[in-house]
Amino acid sequence: MLRTHTCGELRIENVNEHVILAGWVQRIRDKGGMIWIDLRDRYGITQLIFDESKTHPDVIKKMRTVGREYVVQAAGKVLERFSKNDRIPTGDIEIFIDEFIILNPAKVPPFTIEDDTDGGEDLRMKYRYLDLRRRPVRENLLLRHRIMQETRNYFSGLHFAEIETPFLIKSTPEGARDFVVPSRINPGEFYALPQSPQTFKQLLMVSGFDRYFQIVKCFRDEDLRADRQPEFTQIDCEMAFVTQEDILATFEGLVKHLFRSIKNIELEDFPVLNFNEAMRSYGSDKPDIRFGMKFVELNDLAKGRGFNVFDQAELVVGICAPGEAERTRKQLDELTDFVKKPQIGANGLVTIKYNIDGSIKSTIDRFYTGDELKKWMEKFEAVPGDLVLVLAGKTSQTRKALSELRLKLGDELGLREKNTFAPLWVVDFPLLEWDEETKRYYAMHHPFTSPKLDQIDLLDTNPGQVMANSYDMVINGVELGGGSIRIHDRKVQQKMFDVLGFTQEEAKRQFGFLMDAFEYGAPPHGGIAFGLDRTCALFGGSDSIRDFIAFPKNNAGRDVMIDTPATISQEQLDELRLQLKKD
Amino acid sequence: MLRTHTCGELRIENVNEHVILAGWVQRIRDKGGMIWIDLRDRYGITQLIFDESKTHPDVIKKMRTVGREYVVQAAGKVLERFSKNDRIPTGDIEIFIDEFIILNPAKVPPFTIEDDTDGGEDLRMKYRYLDLRRRPVRENLLLRHRIMQETRNYFSGLHFAEIETPFLIKSTPEGARDFVVPSRINPGEFYALPQSPQTFKQLLMVSGFDRYFQIVKCFRDEDLRADRQPEFTQIDCEMAFVTQEDILATFEGLVKHLFRSIKNIELEDFPVLNFNEAMRSYGSDKPDIRFGMKFVELNDLAKGRGFNVFDQAELVVGICAPGEAERTRKQLDELTDFVKKPQIGANGLVTIKYNIDGSIKSTIDRFYTGDELKKWMEKFEAVPGDLVLVLAGKTSQTRKALSELRLKLGDELGLREKNTFAPLWVVDFPLLEWDEETKRYYAMHHPFTSPKLDQIDLLDTNPGQVMANSYDMVINGVELGGGSIRIHDRKVQQKMFDVLGFTQEEAKRQFGFLMDAFEYGAPPHGGIAFGLDRTCALFGGSDSIRDFIAFPKNNAGRDVMIDTPATISQEQLDELRLQLKKD
């Protein structure tokens, strides 16, 4: 080794030892006679000291040629510092250097390698290898390593087998768009990169590997949004001979294990909310339950009093913001402006102040008596000092808008604290979603999700009503994972494909191998997949998954560091028997 | 859970417990009044028993409808068996069934689900999900899981961080052919799938993650041979601030850890052989050193005695097969036929019998006296009863042919025992290989491998002579892994690209990001990559990597189960702005 210790290792106990360190020059302070260098590596920072009156002149000379980010090897004796630095673990000591070797010089980096860098996003992406030197980014990746390792330990302890599924698979147009890979050996044919190992993990259940997991890259050729990557990582799992309850218990166990081992937090048992309740109480299938402010529906109290907006609405629904009655007119107008933004989509906002003196003041006093509004307050379980906010309109739009308002108020009131974690399961999603544009049903989860078995007949008469054996794990308003009990019966799978508008031929061509497999002894099974990037971001207290990926792509799907995608040679195209289409 | 126990779990201690099992029907024996079913799952086989005189008729009736590979759930009481089966761990007990549920029927499988199946390769590949039910295949994949898990534990214990590198990268024509992925968002541009994470792991070293590993899929679009897969898995590693010795020690430690934890074998320290010694002594850079029979070069003794074949040969070299002097003429002719096969490529074989009575009988008695041949025997350290086999010709061809002969004899003499493991390091490979066809040098390992630093000047004058800081780990004649100390200096890297015939522009376009990175403080570093598929095969005692891959492709790169590669829709091609070339 080119070092005896790392830069994060030496303590007061090491005083008088002769050590060798290697790392990057973080900072140089040259006070004439005395010079200090902060030497940095992945493990920490250690202070090197040079004294012009005592250090060999050759060492001083060489040392004076280095700049920030030079890679050096330095040997010397560990000394106790006169003025200690209690902000770093090595702050009690410094190294009096007697040998100094420049392992590699460095140009001045295009941005500072500090926790708060002066580099903009674009520059940091281009020089990602320098950005990764910064402590916050480094710690994100080390956190990711620990999450992966603890995940594997948890599963291995429960006899899950990690089994690699193939990356060169078959394109199936259902769902998102596939990335495809032209085959040279089979001209005109293509592989596809997996959007998930879904069918393979189901086949592994048919094979009898009753507990499977994999931490695996998946690919989706989407029009990219800020928070999406064309390649992403899934913790992918499947179990056989289990009920939904067994699956929830097993994967709740995983998340509890991760919180315990990584954050030293003991989570309570996760509440279970069904989809309809979640939508009714929070207007969202991934509610943030770190705080209350549940929805209260008001159709019975609000309608028939001559207020046209409410009378014509499908749903009148509100939330109660505790202690917020003191808001000024201007502040309330701001809330109204917020809900009227196009991406929120409400037409207006009704506010009702339950004043601290017990009086009630609302924007709808013309239509409702004080006694009537008192009854509203009772329904909200509001107390004097609270503020009630009410929206009305089409059910789903109104819920969505009120959900946004609830989250905004949660933020403003400091109820969404990053280090509080409120997990829950949302279960019993609808099996299908109707798409107005293409006039057909789509699978809400995917085509392999089992309908509730007592509702299978409904698939013929009213498919939109059928509920699925599916579940999402949600923490702090973020969906960490989702899954379902799968279909394991060929006839039910065929029926599902029928409902989704597949012809028999299409179903057979795309998924014939799976339906065949169901005829050779398929056990009942189900599973789940967690988004690893998102899980890491949650644990790291960040909203951006990109901070937790070593070499992410930008919003246009480009890696600006290596500059890809890029053109390929005519020779390569010829070998693949492909031509680029001219515009 | 649909079961209280697995089919591998119940023992004599469980007698009288009421249990529920679930699994596949392996075998039914119906002796009229008594019926036995062997129920199988991943964990083992348990015997179910039904008695027409005691079991409820409904249970009997239902049970009689099942066939092989039906998935059933069965409940009953654990009984001690009258006639025990000591070949299976559950052989002391059986379950007297009182409840019986068919979870899923099964068609008769196209081949038997037995250790020795009657199914041919093609059929088993098409129904891979059934083949995976067979114990030997299942155990291969579980072995693979354990190797992966132990590898990760070893590295995590040494502060290696597992960091995921991207799959959608850039095509670099140097090396094998890339698989490419057309970008829809950037028409006319392509990603490439990685042949290895080489440049990314080097960038991670530049970033300061001084110990990296990853178990990662890699891709190579080669014309497939029996033993190659277009996608394969690597244990990929890199370290900074280390010397070659540190790297060898660390990864020798990994392999020792795997042998200890998985096979309960303590390996001795690995011998280190340099490339030239390996070629001289074994004619191979991956020698099987489970047995001796080292090459003995005979130019000094063999030449100048009038035997034209030897006189004109660049190299005369032989091996001594201990105790084989008794071989018949016919047997020796077979060896001659073997070395003359085109894939071996020798012109003939000289055999010298050192008979048990001390006499010497050879095919070259005309040219050499008994005393002369006695000297040969001394050089071989042969004793009476041994057989010496000699080849002559061009050095590299002759060594290669003699290496094949040595391995063949090792097999015949039973010296290559599957459960003996003889690891070694082969080091100091040449940096470059000359290719006659394209009249240029190619990197023997890859263009990032560091030349021996004291030979850098030779790159200008005699590049073919330059040795590399590179190393392979070989066990039983199989190369498990290989790596090198890398270049970390921009100028040396540029020089290397020059020698390989890159123009400055090509080098910059393809690897500019890496050369830039070397200017911002790159530490000395090096690494290694192990072939996971091959490692699993070695541990599993098999020659075929395909047996250790859940869903392998066949020799034409096809997955015959899901039937891919396959055509994609015109819509997909249009979106990618691609056209298929007509012949």
Side-chain angles (χ1 to χ4, degrees):
Chain A
M1 302 277 172
L2 304 187
R3 60 189 175 200
T4 58
H5 295 78
T6 71
C7 294
E9 200 173 349
L10 294 168
R11 298 286 184 278
I12 195 79
E13 297 80 48
N14 301 100
V15 163
N16 285 326
E17 285 177 31
H18 194 268
V19 300
I20 308 173
L21 301 185
W24 286 262
V25 173
Q26 176 75 30
R27 203 152 69 106
I28 307 170
R29 273 161 303 150
D30 193 334
K31 308 269 179 196
M34 303 287 281
I35 308 101
W36 292 270
I37 287 181
D38 282 351
L39 193 67
R40 185 197 74 232
D41 67 11
R42 170 186 150 190
Y43 307 92
I45 284 180
T46 298
Q47 181 167 293
L48 316 181
I49 181 167
F50 305 79
D51 181 340
E52 283 199 331
S53 65
K54 295 185 201 155
T55 309
H56 194 286
D58 290 352
V59 169
I60 296 283
K61 198 173 155 198
K62 211 186 294 168
M63 180 275 297
R64 283 215 199 272
T65 67
V66 308
R68 281 200 289 131
E69 301 305 315
Y70 270 54
V71 185
V72 304
Q73 186 186 33
K77 200 161 94 167
V78 183
L79 302 181
E80 182 169 2
R81 282 207 215 180
F82 283 109
S83 63
K84 295 185 177 163
N85 176 352
D86 57 12
R87 283 166 306 152
I88 58 171
T90 62
D92 288 349
I93 56 95
E94 60 193 352
I95 320 292
F96 188 88
I97 298 305
D98 53 39
E99 273 187 90
F100 192 81
I101 293 170
I102 297 170
L103 295 172
N104 215 347
K107 294 204 290 196
V108 176
F111 50 86
T112 56
I113 311 297
E114 303 280 354
D115 291 7
D116 288 311
T117 178
D118 59 356
E121 170 96 13
D122 290 351
L123 203 57
R124 286 188 290 117
M125 290 286 274
K126 180 164 164 56
Y127 295 92
R128 181 68 171 172
Y129 48 86
L130 298 180
D131 201 28
L132 288 173
R133 284 188 192 160
R134 298 191 307 115
R135 194 188 53 82
V137 189
R138 178 175 69 236
E139 284 184 358
N140 286 347
L141 293 195
L142 295 176
L143 170 69
R144 188 179 178 111
H145 165 75
R146 289 180 62 203
I147 288 176
M148 291 199 288
Q149 187 65 11
E150 289 296 344
T151 297
R152 291 190 163 103
N153 288 344
Y154 177 80
F155 283 131
S156 291
L158 293 176
H159 302 293
F160 278 75
E162 182 162 26
I163 298 176
E164 292 160 89
T165 50
F167 277 73
L168 298 173
I169 65 166
K170 187 159 149 178
S171 187
T172 54
E174 186 72 9
R177 225 182 260 104
D178 287 319
F179 281 107
V180 298
V181 181
S183 165
R184 180 181 54 88
I185 297 179
N186 307 274
E189 298 190 329
F190 294 75
Y191 302 99
L193 299 179
Q195 297 184 31
S196 99
Q198 183 61 33
T199 51
F200 290 97
K201 68 177 173 174
Q202 291 192 242
L203 290 178
L204 287 172
M205 295 305 107
V206 176
S207 298
F209 286 93
D210 56 11
R211 298 177 161 216
Y212 145 92
F213 83 102
Q214 192 182 189
I215 300 182
V216 62
K217 272 282 174 79
C218 299
F219 304 86
R220 219 169 272 174
D221 182 13
E222 289 177 300
D223 297 314
L224 299 163
R225 286 182 273 142
D227 202 23
R228 287 280 175 93
Q229 290 280 319
E231 49 178 308
F232 55 97
T233 306
Q234 252 179 225
I235 303 173
D236 193 54
C237 316
E238 198 81 3
M239 301 175 81
F241 299 120
V242 288
T243 62
Q244 180 163 318
E245 287 64 43
D246 301 320
I247 293 187
L248 300 196
T250 305
F251 298 106
E252 185 168 323
L254 168 67
V255 173
K256 285 177 175 172
H257 171 77
L258 291 179
F259 270 92
R260 188 180 306 123
S261 57
I262 288 168
K263 296 189 84 74
N264 203 21
I265 290 175
E266 284 294 333
L267 293 179
E268 312 245 313
D269 287 346
F270 298 7
V272 179
L273 211 60
N274 73 40
F275 173 82
N276 287 333
E277 285 167 35
M279 295 310 288
R280 206 159 35 232
S281 298
Y282 301 99
S284 167
D285 59 1
K286 35 180 189 281
D288 184 346
I289 61 167
R290 276 175 295 186
F291 63 108
M293 284 204 220
K294 279 198 195 181
F295 289 11
V296 173
E297 297 194 350
L298 298 164
N299 282 15
D300 51 345
L301 297 177
K303 289 192 170 211
R305 299 297 189 281
F307 182 38
N308 218 12
V309 172
F310 284 179
D311 285 349
Q312 287 176 3
E314 200 176 15
L315 177 68
V316 182
V317 59
I319 52 175
C320 172
E324 290 296 298
E326 304 285 299
R327 292 213 172 208
T328 62
R329 173 67 182 271
K330 183 156 170 282
Q331 287 174 316
L332 294 179
D333 284 349
E334 278 167 14
L335 291 181
T336 304
D337 291 345
F338 172 78
V339 299
K340 285 167 103 171
K341 284 200 288 187
Q343 64 269 40
I344 308 297
N347 293 318
L349 174 68
V350 167
T351 57
I352 309 167
K353 290 182 169 185
Y354 194 0
N355 292 317
I356 205 87
D357 62 6
S359 68
I360 296 177
K361 180 77 196 126
S362 82
T363 51
I364 48 171
D365 286 349
R366 277 209 294 146
F367 302 101
Y368 302 91
T369 66
D371 278 354
E372 281 174 331
L373 291 179
K374 202 88 175 194
K375 282 215 185 88
W376 291 35
M377 295 304 103
E378 282 164 25
K379 198 154 186 192
F380 278 100
E381 299 178 18
V383 295
D386 289 354
L387 172 70
V388 163
L389 302 147
V390 179
L391 294 179
K394 287 265 186 199
T395 300
S396 73
Q397 286 164 18
T398 306
R399 281 177 174 167
K400 187 177 160 298
L402 190 60
S403 169
E404 296 293 340
L405 181 60
R406 176 178 173 271
L407 293 177
K408 179 185 169 62
L409 283 165
D411 279 333
E412 290 183 2
L413 304 184
L415 301 173
R416 306 182 72 192
E417 216 276 301
K418 272 197 173 153
N419 291 310
T420 303
F421 296 94
L424 80 156
W425 289 104
V426 179
V427 303
D428 297 350
F429 286 78
L431 184 68
L432 300 162
E433 283 178 307
W434 178 258
D435 180 60
E436 261 310 314
E437 200 176 317
T438 52
K439 300 278 177 208
R440 53 161 280 202
Y441 282 107
Y442 285 85
M444 187 144 175
H445 190 52
H446 55 49
F448 314 107
T449 296
S450 177
K452 297 268 173 205
L453 289 185
D454 55 3
Q455 300 182 336
I456 281 190
D457 291 345
L458 266 182
L459 278 176
D460 290 320
T461 54
N462 194 349
Q465 286 292 311
V466 178
M467 290 289 164
N469 283 320
S470 59
Y471 33 82
D472 277 357
M473 182 186 286
V474 176
I475 302 188
N476 295 2
V478 173
E479 181 201 322
L480 274 205
S484 62
I485 299 291
R486 323 299 184 186
I487 297 167
H488 65 280
D489 180 293
R490 181 180 182 126
K491 286 190 300 296
V492 177
Q493 188 66 66
Q494 182 65 58
K495 158 80 76 182
M496 186 71 184
F497 285 131
D498 291 348
V499 170
L500 294 174
F502 282 61
T503 64
Q504 295 249 352
E505 292 69 39
E506 280 168 350
K508 195 176 158 54
R509 191 167 48 80
Q510 289 181 34
F511 299 110
F513 62 96
L514 185 67
M515 290 197 289
D516 287 349
F518 287 168
E519 294 195 308
Y520 286 103
H525 62 286
I528 196 167
F530 292 90
L532 177 64
D533 306 303
R534 188 145 303 295
T535 301
C536 292
L538 179 86
F539 274 76
S542 167
D543 293 328
S544 160
I545 62 172
R546 213 182 287 176
D547 296 344
F548 296 81
I549 296 172
F551 299 102
K553 306 239 178 338
N554 74 8
N555 288 345
R558 295 199 74 79
D559 181 327
V560 294
M561 179 186 71
I562 64 170
D563 192 21
T564 198
T567 54
I568 58 174
S569 68
Q570 189 58 44
E571 218 179 314
Q572 280 174 295
L573 285 170
D574 290 346
E575 278 197 321
L576 297 170
R577 312 206 55 66
L578 288 180
Q579 257 175 298
L580 303 181
K581 225 183 213 163
K582 303 280 180 288
D583 279 303
Chain B
M1 301 277 171
L2 304 186
R3 60 189 175 199
T4 58
H5 295 77
T6 71
C7 295
E9 199 173 351
L10 294 166
R11 299 286 183 276
I12 195 80
E13 298 79 48
N14 301 99
V15 163
N16 284 327
E17 286 177 30
H18 194 270
V19 300
I20 308 173
L21 300 184
W24 286 263
V25 172
Q26 175 76 28
R27 203 153 71 106
I28 307 169
R29 273 159 304 149
D30 193 335
K31 308 268 179 194
M34 302 287 279
I35 309 99
W36 292 269
I37 287 181
D38 283 350
L39 193 67
R40 184 197 73 234
D41 66 13
R42 170 186 149 190
Y43 308 92
I45 285 181
T46 299
Q47 181 167 293
L48 315 180
I49 182 166
F50 305 78
D51 181 341
E52 283 199 330
S53 65
K54 294 183 200 155
T55 308
H56 193 287
D58 290 352
V59 170
I60 296 282
K61 199 173 153 198
K62 210 185 297 168
M63 180 273 299
R64 283 217 198 273
T65 67
V66 308
R68 280 198 291 131
E69 300 305 316
Y70 270 54
V71 185
V72 304
Q73 185 185 34
K77 200 161 93 167
V78 182
L79 302 181
E80 183 169 1
R81 282 207 213 178
F82 282 109
S83 63
K84 296 183 178 164
N85 177 352
D86 57 13
R87 281 166 308 152
I88 56 172
T90 62
D92 287 350
I93 57 96
E94 60 194 352
I95 320 292
F96 190 87
I97 298 305
D98 52 39
E99 274 187 89
F100 192 80
I101 293 169
I102 297 170
L103 295 172
N104 215 347
K107 296 204 290 197
V108 176
F111 50 85
T112 55
I113 311 297
E114 304 279 356
D115 290 5
D116 289 311
T117 179
D118 59 356
E121 170 96 12
D122 290 351
L123 203 56
R124 287 188 290 117
M125 289 286 274
K126 180 164 163 54
Y127 295 93
R128 181 67 171 172
Y129 49 87
L130 298 179
D131 200 29
L132 289 173
R133 285 189 191 159
R134 299 191 307 115
R135 193 187 53 81
V137 189
R138 179 174 68 237
E139 285 185 357
N140 287 347
L141 293 195
L142 295 176
L143 170 68
R144 187 178 179 110
H145 164 75
R146 288 181 63 205
I147 288 176
M148 289 198 289
Q149 188 65 11
E150 289 296 345
T151 298
R152 291 190 164 103
N153 288 344
Y154 176 80
F155 284 132
S156 291
L158 292 177
H159 302 292
F160 278 75
E162 182 161 27
I163 298 175
E164 293 160 85
T165 51
F167 278 73
L168 298 174
I169 65 166
K170 186 157 147 181
S171 187
T172 54
E174 185 72 9
R177 226 182 260 105
D178 287 320
F179 281 108
V180 297
V181 181
S183 166
R184 178 181 54 86
I185 297 179
N186 306 276
E189 298 190 327
F190 294 75
Y191 302 100
L193 299 178
Q195 297 183 31
S196 100
Q198 183 62 33
T199 51
F200 291 97
K201 68 177 173 174
Q202 291 192 244
L203 290 178
L204 287 172
M205 294 306 106
V206 175
S207 298
F209 286 94
D210 56 11
R211 298 177 160 215
Y212 145 92
F213 83 102
Q214 192 183 189
I215 301 182
V216 61
K217 272 281 174 79
C218 299
F219 304 85
R220 219 169 272 175
D221 182 12
E222 289 177 301
D223 297 315
L224 299 163
R225 287 181 271 141
D227 201 22
R228 287 281 174 95
Q229 291 279 318
E231 49 178 307
F232 56 97
T233 306
Q234 250 178 229
I235 303 174
D236 193 54
C237 317
E238 198 81 2
M239 301 175 82
F241 299 120
V242 289
T243 62
Q244 180 163 316
E245 289 63 43
D246 301 321
I247 293 187
L248 300 196
T250 305
F251 298 106
E252 184 168 323
L254 168 68
V255 173
K256 284 177 176 172
H257 172 77
L258 292 178
F259 270 92
R260 188 181 306 124
S261 56
I262 287 168
K263 298 189 82 75
N264 203 20
I265 290 175
E266 284 293 334
L267 293 180
E268 313 245 314
D269 288 346
F270 298 9
V272 179
L273 211 59
N274 73 41
F275 173 81
N276 287 334
E277 285 167 35
M279 296 309 290
R280 206 160 35 230
S281 297
Y282 301 100
S284 167
D285 59 0
K286 34 180 191 280
D288 184 346
I289 61 166
R290 276 175 296 186
F291 63 107
M293 286 204 219
K294 280 198 196 180
F295 289 12
V296 173
E297 298 194 351
L298 298 165
N299 282 15
D300 51 344
L301 296 177
K303 288 191 173 213
R305 301 297 191 280
F307 182 37
N308 216 12
V309 173
F310 284 179
D311 285 348
Q312 287 176 3
E314 198 176 17
L315 177 70
V316 182
V317 59
I319 53 175
C320 172
E324 290 297 299
E326 304 285 297
R327 293 211 170 207
T328 63
R329 173 67 183 269
K330 182 156 172 282
Q331 287 173 316
L332 294 179
D333 285 348
E334 279 166 13
L335 291 182
T336 304
D337 291 345
F338 171 80
V339 299
K340 284 166 103 171
K341 284 201 286 187
Q343 65 269 41
I344 308 297
N347 293 319
L349 174 68
V350 167
T351 57
I352 309 166
K353 290 181 168 187
Y354 194 1
N355 292 316
I356 205 86
D357 62 5
S359 68
I360 296 177
K361 178 80 195 120
S362 82
T363 52
I364 49 171
D365 285 350
R366 278 208 293 147
F367 302 100
Y368 302 91
T369 66
D371 279 353
E372 281 173 332
L373 291 178
K374 204 93 175 189
K375 283 213 183 89
W376 291 33
M377 293 304 103
E378 282 163 23
K379 197 154 186 191
F380 278 100
E381 297 178 20
V383 295
D386 290 352
L387 172 70
V388 163
L389 303 147
V390 179
L391 294 180
K394 288 264 186 198
T395 300
S396 73
Q397 287 165 16
T398 305
R399 282 177 174 167
K400 187 177 161 296
L402 189 61
S403 169
E404 296 292 341
L405 181 62
R406 175 178 173 270
L407 294 176
K408 180 186 168 63
L409 283 165
D411 279 334
E412 289 182 2
L413 304 184
L415 302 173
R416 305 181 73 193
E417 216 274 303
K418 273 200 172 148
N419 290 311
T420 303
F421 296 93
L424 80 158
W425 289 104
V426 179
V427 302
D428 297 349
F429 287 78
L431 184 68
L432 301 162
E433 284 178 306
W434 178 260
D435 181 59
E436 261 310 314
E437 201 176 318
T438 52
K439 300 278 176 209
R440 52 161 280 201
Y441 282 107
Y442 285 86
M444 188 144 173
H445 190 51
H446 54 50
F448 314 107
T449 295
S450 176
K452 297 269 175 205
L453 289 185
D454 56 3
Q455 299 182 337
I456 282 190
D457 291 343
L458 265 182
L459 278 175
D460 290 319
T461 54
N462 195 349
Q465 286 291 312
V466 178
M467 290 290 165
N469 282 320
S470 59
Y471 33 82
D472 277 358
M473 182 187 285
V474 175
I475 301 188
N476 294 1
V478 173
E479 182 201 323
L480 274 205
S484 62
I485 298 293
R486 324 299 185 187
I487 297 166
H488 64 280
D489 180 294
R490 183 181 181 126
K491 286 188 301 295
V492 177
Q493 188 66 66
Q494 182 65 58
K495 159 81 74 181
M496 186 70 184
F497 285 132
D498 291 348
V499 171
L500 293 173
F502 284 61
T503 65
Q504 294 248 353
E505 292 67 40
E506 280 168 352
K508 195 175 158 52
R509 192 167 48 78
Q510 289 181 35
F511 299 110
F513 61 97
L514 185 67
M515 290 197 290
D516 287 349
F518 287 169
E519 294 196 308
Y520 285 103
H525 62 286
I528 196 167
F530 292 90
L532 178 65
D533 306 305
R534 188 146 304 295
T535 302
C536 293
L538 179 86
F539 274 76
S542 166
D543 293 327
S544 160
I545 62 171
R546 214 181 286 175
D547 295 345
F548 296 81
I549 297 171
F551 299 102
K553 306 236 176 345
N554 72 9
N555 288 345
R558 294 200 75 80
D559 181 328
V560 297
M561 179 186 71
I562 63 170
D563 192 22
T564 199
T567 54
I568 58 174
S569 68
Q570 189 58 44
E571 220 177 314
Q572 281 174 292
L573 286 169
D574 289 346
E575 279 197 318
L576 297 170
R577 312 205 55 67
L578 288 180
Q579 260 175 300
L580 302 181
K581 224 182 215 166
K582 304 281 180 287
D583 279 303

